[in-house]
Amino acid sequence: LVSTDPASNLDQVLGVKLVNADQALDIDGTFSLGDNAEIGAIDVRAKNVDIAQLEKLMLQNRGFTGRLDADAKISGSAKAPAVTGHLAVAGGGFQQFKYESLVADGTYANGRIGVDARLVQAPGVELTGRCEGLHLAAHCNLDAQCIEGIDAGLGRIYETKRRVIDYELIVD
């Protein structure tokens, strides 16, 4: 059940649950549509969601695959939202690029984005990254450790030893 209370300016989502075989999506909580944050938050949980099926539901065909487990909490208000989340993808892929796992934690608050992620393509072939940025300008550290290289679909990253790469990404 989804409802909006004009008097309190709250959106309320009560016990929305979508299930398909061993896949589940749960959404529950309240969120302030006004200027002031209210007590409460919307909790979103995805369990064993087939990403290829999710992509079809969104009428997309970009080639994403894998099984998704995720948790997110949306709090604050529409003017000043705060989001925290964790996701894990097992047996994932993007077109021809395949990987064993992707685990990421993310935050958004006060116009600031943070992501801490680790992608394992195969044993000994992994990529970790941490980004913290203000709006769309991000300062990122990338820690690549691989023996044969990671095929990212956009090019290959080769490393024979551990190395930290610092870069700044600014998007207009």
Side-chain angles (χ1 to χ4, degrees):
L1 175 66
V2 178
S3 65
T4 301
D5 180 3
S8 65
N9 234 359
L10 286 177
D11 244 359
Q12 187 167 10
V13 182
L14 296 175
V16 174
K17 185 172 187 116
L18 303 173
V19 177
N20 179 16
D22 63 345
Q23 304 174 70
L25 179 64
D26 297 302
I27 306 169
D28 192 44
T30 60
F31 184 72
S32 173
L33 298 174
D35 294 340
N36 300 321
E38 300 286 333
I39 295 174
I42 293 180
D43 291 309
V44 180
R45 267 185 208 86
K47 183 73 177 156
N48 202 33
V49 173
D50 183 335
I51 295 172
Q53 282 186 355
L54 186 63
E55 200 176 29
K56 286 179 187 173
L57 282 173
M58 295 186 303
L59 303 175
Q60 298 292 314
N61 186 20
R62 300 194 188 276
F64 288 100
T65 59
R67 288 291 181 148
L68 171 70
D69 288 329
D71 293 296
K73 182 179 287 288
I74 306 164
S75 59
S77 68
K79 278 204 169 191
V83 181
T84 59
H86 173 82
L87 71 81
V89 177
F94 173 66
Q95 298 175 0
Q96 287 77 32
F97 173 68
K98 305 294 182 212
Y99 58 90
E100 286 183 2
S101 66
L102 169 65
V103 177
D105 292 299
T107 59
Y108 175 82
N110 300 318
R112 209 170 160 77
I113 299 169
V115 177
D116 191 357
R118 178 176 181 232
L119 182 137
V120 177
Q121 185 176 23
V125 183
E126 65 182 57
L127 184 67
T128 59
R130 180 180 194 114
C131 296
E132 294 179 4
L134 181 60
H135 301 289
L136 293 177
H139 299 280
C140 302
N141 289 319
L142 181 66
D143 182 356
Q145 179 181 6
C146 35
I147 298 165
E148 297 176 10
I150 294 178
D151 185 352
L154 302 173
R156 291 182 68 82
I157 299 171
Y158 289 98
E159 294 290 324
T160 54
K161 62 181 181 177
R162 197 171 187 123
R163 184 175 138 192
V164 175
I165 305 163
D166 250 346
Y167 65 93
E168 182 176 1
L169 172 67
I170 299 175
V171 181
D172 289 325

mmCIF file of all heavy atoms in Angstrom, residues 15 18 20-21 23 30 46-47 52 54 78-79 90 108 112 120 128-129 136 143-144 146 162 166 170:
data_model
loop_
_atom_site.group_PDB
_atom_site.id
_atom_site.type_symbol
_atom_site.label_atom_id
_atom_site.label_comp_id
_atom_site.label_asym_id
_atom_site.label_seq_id
_atom_site.Cartn_x
_atom_site.Cartn_y
_atom_site.Cartn_z
ATOM 1 N N GLY A 15 4.526 -2.232 3.599
ATOM 2 C CA GLY A 15 4.614 -3.645 3.291
ATOM 3 C C GLY A 15 4.465 -4.042 1.840
ATOM 4 O O GLY A 15 3.809 -5.031 1.543
ATOM 5 N N LEU A 18 7.197 -7.839 -3.547
ATOM 6 C CA LEU A 18 7.090 -8.491 -4.844
ATOM 7 C C LEU A 18 7.932 -9.759 -4.787
ATOM 8 O O LEU A 18 9.104 -9.709 -4.410
ATOM 9 C CB LEU A 18 7.607 -7.569 -5.951
ATOM 10 C CG LEU A 18 6.928 -6.203 -6.054
ATOM 11 C CD1 LEU A 18 7.656 -5.335 -7.076
ATOM 12 C CD2 LEU A 18 5.478 -6.355 -6.432
ATOM 13 N N ASN A 20 8.951 -13.504 -6.877
ATOM 14 C CA ASN A 20 8.928 -14.355 -8.051
ATOM 15 C C ASN A 20 9.890 -15.508 -7.793
ATOM 16 O O ASN A 20 11.102 -15.313 -7.803
ATOM 17 C CB ASN A 20 9.340 -13.579 -9.301
ATOM 18 C CG ASN A 20 9.353 -14.437 -10.547
ATOM 19 O OD1 ASN A 20 8.784 -15.522 -10.567
ATOM 20 N ND2 ASN A 20 10.001 -13.956 -11.587
ATOM 21 N N ALA A 21 9.343 -16.684 -7.506
ATOM 22 C CA ALA A 21 10.148 -17.868 -7.154
ATOM 23 C C ALA A 21 11.049 -17.530 -5.964
ATOM 24 O O ALA A 21 10.547 -17.181 -4.906
ATOM 25 C CB ALA A 21 10.917 -18.377 -8.357
ATOM 26 N N GLN A 23 13.124 -14.979 -5.762
ATOM 27 C CA GLN A 23 13.477 -13.562 -5.798
ATOM 28 C C GLN A 23 12.455 -12.763 -4.992
ATOM 29 O O GLN A 23 11.274 -13.064 -5.019
ATOM 30 C CB GLN A 23 13.456 -13.047 -7.238
ATOM 31 C CG GLN A 23 14.363 -13.822 -8.181
ATOM 32 C CD GLN A 23 14.178 -13.342 -9.597
ATOM 33 O OE1 GLN A 23 14.576 -12.238 -9.924
ATOM 34 N NE2 GLN A 23 13.564 -14.155 -10.439
ATOM 35 N N THR A 30 8.319 5.387 5.591
ATOM 36 C CA THR A 30 7.773 6.714 5.295
ATOM 37 C C THR A 30 8.891 7.636 4.839
ATOM 38 O O THR A 30 10.057 7.446 5.179
ATOM 39 C CB THR A 30 7.102 7.338 6.541
ATOM 40 O OG1 THR A 30 8.078 7.472 7.572
ATOM 41 C CG2 THR A 30 5.941 6.508 7.021
ATOM 42 N N ALA A 46 16.306 -6.081 -1.651
ATOM 43 C CA ALA A 46 16.224 -6.998 -2.793
ATOM 44 C C ALA A 46 16.984 -8.259 -2.418
ATOM 45 O O ALA A 46 18.086 -8.182 -1.891
ATOM 46 C CB ALA A 46 16.846 -6.354 -4.029
ATOM 47 N N LYS A 47 16.389 -9.403 -2.684
ATOM 48 C CA LYS A 47 17.021 -10.681 -2.327
ATOM 49 C C LYS A 47 17.014 -11.600 -3.547
ATOM 50 O O LYS A 47 15.952 -11.928 -4.080
ATOM 51 C CB LYS A 47 16.255 -11.329 -1.162
ATOM 52 C CG LYS A 47 16.846 -12.605 -0.661
ATOM 53 C CD LYS A 47 18.112 -12.335 0.110
ATOM 54 C CE LYS A 47 18.654 -13.642 0.666
ATOM 55 N NZ LYS A 47 20.051 -13.591 0.920
ATOM 56 N N ALA A 52 19.055 -9.781 -15.147
ATOM 57 C CA ALA A 52 18.596 -9.847 -16.541
ATOM 58 C C ALA A 52 17.072 -9.709 -16.600
ATOM 59 O O ALA A 52 16.539 -9.012 -17.470
ATOM 60 C CB ALA A 52 19.049 -11.148 -17.194
ATOM 61 N N LEU A 54 15.223 -8.177 -14.313
ATOM 62 C CA LEU A 54 14.953 -6.803 -13.904
ATOM 63 C C LEU A 54 15.129 -5.856 -15.089
ATOM 64 O O LEU A 54 14.326 -4.950 -15.313
ATOM 65 C CB LEU A 54 15.888 -6.417 -12.756
ATOM 66 C CG LEU A 54 15.665 -5.076 -12.101
ATOM 67 C CD1 LEU A 54 14.298 -5.003 -11.444
ATOM 68 C CD2 LEU A 54 16.751 -4.834 -11.053
ATOM 69 N N ALA A 78 12.382 15.322 0.738
ATOM 70 C CA ALA A 78 12.527 15.450 -0.711
ATOM 71 C C ALA A 78 13.552 16.530 -1.067
ATOM 72 O O ALA A 78 14.276 16.401 -2.041
ATOM 73 C CB ALA A 78 11.175 15.763 -1.345
ATOM 74 N N LYS A 79 13.642 17.574 -0.251
ATOM 75 C CA LYS A 79 14.622 18.644 -0.509
ATOM 76 C C LYS A 79 16.023 18.270 -0.059
ATOM 77 O O LYS A 79 16.997 18.782 -0.590
ATOM 78 C CB LYS A 79 14.192 19.930 0.184
ATOM 79 C CG LYS A 79 13.179 20.695 -0.610
ATOM 80 C CD LYS A 79 13.217 22.141 -0.232
ATOM 81 C CE LYS A 79 12.393 22.903 -1.235
ATOM 82 N NZ LYS A 79 12.563 24.298 -1.130
ATOM 83 N N ALA A 90 26.338 -11.514 -7.477
ATOM 84 C CA ALA A 90 27.082 -12.765 -7.658
ATOM 85 C C ALA A 90 26.892 -13.241 -9.092
ATOM 86 O O ALA A 90 25.793 -13.134 -9.650
ATOM 87 C CB ALA A 90 26.582 -13.826 -6.683
ATOM 88 N N TYR A 108 24.581 8.903 0.145
ATOM 89 C CA TYR A 108 24.316 10.220 -0.422
ATOM 90 C C TYR A 108 23.680 11.053 0.682
ATOM 91 O O TYR A 108 22.662 10.665 1.259
ATOM 92 C CB TYR A 108 23.375 10.162 -1.622
ATOM 93 C CG TYR A 108 23.022 11.550 -2.113
ATOM 94 C CD1 TYR A 108 23.894 12.239 -2.948
ATOM 95 C CD2 TYR A 108 21.862 12.183 -1.705
ATOM 96 C CE1 TYR A 108 23.606 13.529 -3.367
ATOM 97 C CE2 TYR A 108 21.566 13.471 -2.120
ATOM 98 C CZ TYR A 108 22.436 14.141 -2.949
ATOM 99 O OH TYR A 108 22.158 15.408 -3.357
ATOM 100 N N ARG A 112 26.536 15.139 -1.113
ATOM 101 C CA ARG A 112 27.799 14.412 -1.171
ATOM 102 C C ARG A 112 27.552 12.926 -1.447
ATOM 103 O O ARG A 112 26.739 12.297 -0.796
ATOM 104 C CB ARG A 112 28.494 14.571 0.168
ATOM 105 C CG ARG A 112 29.958 14.515 0.084
ATOM 106 C CD ARG A 112 30.584 14.924 1.415
ATOM 107 N NE ARG A 112 31.915 14.409 1.448
ATOM 108 C CZ ARG A 112 32.930 14.949 0.787
ATOM 109 N NH1 ARG A 112 32.736 16.035 0.088
ATOM 110 N NH2 ARG A 112 34.118 14.413 0.830
ATOM 111 N N VAL A 120 35.460 -8.617 -8.132
ATOM 112 C CA VAL A 120 36.363 -9.766 -8.299
ATOM 113 C C VAL A 120 35.983 -10.439 -9.609
ATOM 114 O O VAL A 120 34.880 -10.968 -9.748
ATOM 115 C CB VAL A 120 36.246 -10.762 -7.119
ATOM 116 C CG1 VAL A 120 37.133 -11.971 -7.366
ATOM 117 C CG2 VAL A 120 36.614 -10.076 -5.811
ATOM 118 N N THR A 128 39.339 -2.641 -6.610
ATOM 119 C CA THR A 128 38.637 -1.975 -5.521
ATOM 120 C C THR A 128 38.676 -0.479 -5.783
ATOM 121 O O THR A 128 39.628 0.033 -6.366
ATOM 122 C CB THR A 128 39.266 -2.268 -4.137
ATOM 123 O OG1 THR A 128 40.615 -1.835 -4.142
ATOM 124 C CG2 THR A 128 39.202 -3.742 -3.801
ATOM 125 N N GLY A 129 37.652 0.199 -5.366
ATOM 126 C CA GLY A 129 37.611 1.638 -5.570
ATOM 127 C C GLY A 129 36.806 2.322 -4.487
ATOM 128 O O GLY A 129 35.878 1.746 -3.932
ATOM 129 N N LEU A 136 28.755 16.518 -8.575
ATOM 130 C CA LEU A 136 29.238 15.657 -9.643
ATOM 131 C C LEU A 136 30.753 15.682 -9.809
ATOM 132 O O LEU A 136 31.278 15.102 -10.735
ATOM 133 C CB LEU A 136 28.559 16.028 -10.968
ATOM 134 C CG LEU A 136 27.065 15.728 -11.012
ATOM 135 C CD1 LEU A 136 26.472 16.191 -12.334
ATOM 136 C CD2 LEU A 136 26.793 14.258 -10.799
ATOM 137 N N ASP A 143 42.364 1.025 -6.614
ATOM 138 C CA ASP A 143 43.402 0.086 -6.236
ATOM 139 C C ASP A 143 43.225 -1.158 -7.093
ATOM 140 O O ASP A 143 42.272 -1.905 -6.916
ATOM 141 C CB ASP A 143 43.258 -0.247 -4.742
ATOM 142 C CG ASP A 143 44.324 -1.197 -4.240
ATOM 143 O OD1 ASP A 143 45.140 -1.676 -5.059
ATOM 144 O OD2 ASP A 143 44.340 -1.465 -3.043
ATOM 145 N N ALA A 144 44.108 -1.350 -8.068
ATOM 146 C CA ALA A 144 43.984 -2.481 -8.982
ATOM 147 C C ALA A 144 45.064 -3.512 -8.673
ATOM 148 O O ALA A 144 46.223 -3.182 -8.519
ATOM 149 C CB ALA A 144 44.135 -2.009 -10.429
ATOM 150 N N CYS A 146 45.973 -7.263 -10.206
ATOM 151 C CA CYS A 146 45.636 -8.363 -11.080
ATOM 152 C C CYS A 146 46.888 -8.935 -11.726
ATOM 153 O O CYS A 146 47.924 -8.308 -11.776
ATOM 154 C CB CYS A 146 44.634 -7.959 -12.139
ATOM 155 S SG CYS A 146 44.767 -6.308 -12.768
ATOM 156 N N ARG A 162 50.511 -4.473 -7.154
ATOM 157 C CA ARG A 162 49.519 -3.548 -6.587
ATOM 158 C C ARG A 162 49.942 -2.106 -6.825
ATOM 159 O O ARG A 162 51.081 -1.749 -6.635
ATOM 160 C CB ARG A 162 49.405 -3.838 -5.100
ATOM 161 C CG ARG A 162 48.202 -3.276 -4.498
ATOM 162 C CD ARG A 162 48.085 -3.816 -3.083
ATOM 163 N NE ARG A 162 46.822 -3.399 -2.570
ATOM 164 C CZ ARG A 162 45.911 -4.205 -2.126
ATOM 165 N NH1 ARG A 162 46.125 -5.486 -2.116
ATOM 166 N NH2 ARG A 162 44.784 -3.750 -1.666
ATOM 167 N N ASP A 166 45.338 7.575 -8.537
ATOM 168 C CA ASP A 166 44.528 8.716 -8.099
ATOM 169 C C ASP A 166 44.050 9.455 -9.339
ATOM 170 O O ASP A 166 44.828 9.720 -10.249
ATOM 171 C CB ASP A 166 45.383 9.686 -7.286
ATOM 172 C CG ASP A 166 45.012 9.682 -5.823
ATOM 173 O OD1 ASP A 166 43.946 9.136 -5.484
ATOM 174 O OD2 ASP A 166 45.785 10.240 -5.038
ATOM 175 N N ILE A 170 35.397 15.132 -13.171
ATOM 176 C CA ILE A 170 34.443 16.226 -13.057
ATOM 177 C C ILE A 170 33.493 16.132 -14.241
ATOM 178 O O ILE A 170 33.928 16.098 -15.389
ATOM 179 C CB ILE A 170 35.151 17.599 -13.026
ATOM 180 C CG1 ILE A 170 36.066 17.672 -11.811
ATOM 181 C CG2 ILE A 170 34.134 18.728 -13.035
ATOM 182 C CD1 ILE A 170 36.891 18.921 -11.741
#
